[in-house]
Amino acid sequence: MIGSSRLAALDPQAENALRMPDTRSSPVRSLLTRLTVALFALGATTMIVYFGRDGYQDNNGAGAISLMDALYYATVSLSTTGYGDIVPVSEMARAVNIAVITPLRVLFLIVLVGTTVELLTERSRQSFRIQRWRSRVREHTVVVGYGTKGRAAVETLLGDGVEPEKIVVVDTDRARLDVASGLGLVTVSGNATRSAVLRIAGVQLATTLVVALDRDDTAVMVTLTARELSRSISIVAAVREAENVHLLRQSGASSVIVSDETAGRLLGVATRSPAVVEVVEDLLTPDAGFAISQRQVEPAEVGGSPRHLPDIVLGVVRDDRLHRVDAAAVDALERGDQLLYVRKATPPDDE
């Protein structure tokens, strides 16, 4: 297994593609908020000085303090420049400076310095989060393509209880990646046919790769590249044409789904039996109604028939081969078998 130190020695361009999810407000909104606070402090100080202008003196002999003079004094005072040409001379003006203008000056400096420091340290903070993620990421799922199929795959994974930080999305569309990042997913911007991009996503440490692209030829290239990086990863790929299934399997895909033909079959079934389509959709939705799931055979079930279990068993996986529940080969369950069964996804109190 390739360690996290190997992940650091990568193409610098691919390195910049990795982005950790950020649950804070956007940088633009944060900057506008701080600018509003700074302008409020400046405006409040200007009005305080202007309404108390009788307590101020212009050493240049310009006479009474005007609104522009008050704005000038507020600007140089809050920025701690303080030329000393306009100064408070009365006790009231000095008291107001101590009690009100000085706190506003501190607030102004906090906003100014805080924004500058945050902008300067954002890159370092992201770098630290990336390094920490690399040191911890193991046995995660990489989803290549965040279109309709990719989003549905991620929703299914999240519905099955997979933690968001265990999912990495790879795509070339920044808008799609922003949506994925908003869900708390780690994102990688780049072409997944490049091995450097897949290394950034940690394919060599992942357990599953989901290839949900719109082009079959690109899916083949991604599968070949991923299989070269990891011989043990499970690759699940979607293709549009059934004639390309054997290409995906020869490239190293563990499972291939023909998206267009599957949708076409459901459309055909819906013309005569729409209720069947509703049941199929229910079974494919993990967070509501019923769902198809897979589990290990329990010790108490070894030796028994899968047809006599309390669960509705659809099939048995033995030695990486799927058998129908009525197949003679799996009439007696063995240790290590996997059951495909229908589980209840909706809590009892939601009925």
Side-chain angles (χ1 to χ4, degrees), residues 263-299:
R265 292 191 187 99
L266 290 177
L267 289 173
V269 171
T271 60
R272 295 181 177 273
S273 305
V276 174
V277 178
E278 292 184 13
V279 172
V280 172
E281 290 181 345
D282 183 24
L283 292 174
L284 295 177
T285 306
D287 54 356
F290 293 92
I292 299 176
S293 188
Q294 185 171 339
R295 68 173 177 85
Q296 190 82 21
V297 169
E298 298 178 0

Side-chain angles (χ1 to χ4, degrees), residues 216-235:
D216 291 358
D217 54 349
T218 307
V220 171
M221 290 298 299
V222 172
T223 302
L224 283 170
T225 305
R227 183 56 70 197
E228 183 181 12
L229 294 175
S230 175
R231 305 304 302 177
S232 61
I233 189 172
S234 175
I235 302 178

